[in-house]
Amino acid sequence: MQRSPYSRENQVMAEILKEWRRAAGLTQKQIGELALLRKSDVTKVETGVRMLSYFELRRWLAALALDIPLFDAEFEHRMQGPLDPLVHDPRA
């Protein structure tokens, strides 16, 4: 069964990545350059249209000085409840 890119999982992932990019003060172009993605791909990721590969996710998080375990914890937290704004500030 193929999963829609608009699934709840993709929506949660997109929201986390967008919020964390903004919290870091980076533009879509800047995160794209740091994560080796085109700006158009960043836009698609942040709107839930495009999914990242594991390696792209690692590069995105590394550009924010974050890692997979932190992302995974935030993702799991959000999947348990309604889609709320950033629950855990990665910079706190």
Side-chain angles (χ1 to χ4, degrees), residues 12-28 30-31 34 42 46 52 57-78 84-92:
V12 169
M13 181 177 185
E15 289 181 357
I16 293 169
L17 294 176
K18 183 176 183 177
E19 290 168 9
W20 287 3
R21 173 188 59 79
R22 287 181 170 175
L26 296 175
T27 65
Q28 288 184 333
Q30 290 169 322
I31 194 73
L34 292 168
V42 171
E46 290 186 351
L52 290 175
L57 177 60
R58 284 184 53 153
R59 288 194 308 263
W60 186 302
L61 294 173
L64 302 174
L66 302 172
D67 59 20
I68 294 286
L70 179 65
F71 174 82
D72 192 46
E74 180 65 17
F75 180 83
E76 291 300 323
H77 176 79
R78 291 192 191 201
D84 295 328
L86 186 63
V87 175
H88 303 289
D89 185 347
R91 301 283 176 192

Side-chain angles (χ1 to χ4, degrees), residues 1-10 51 79:
M1 177 170 85
Q2 188 173 8
R3 190 174 288 277
S4 165
Y6 298 102
S7 69
R8 176 165 166 75
E9 292 91 346
N10 227 42
M51 292 183 269
M79 287 303 294

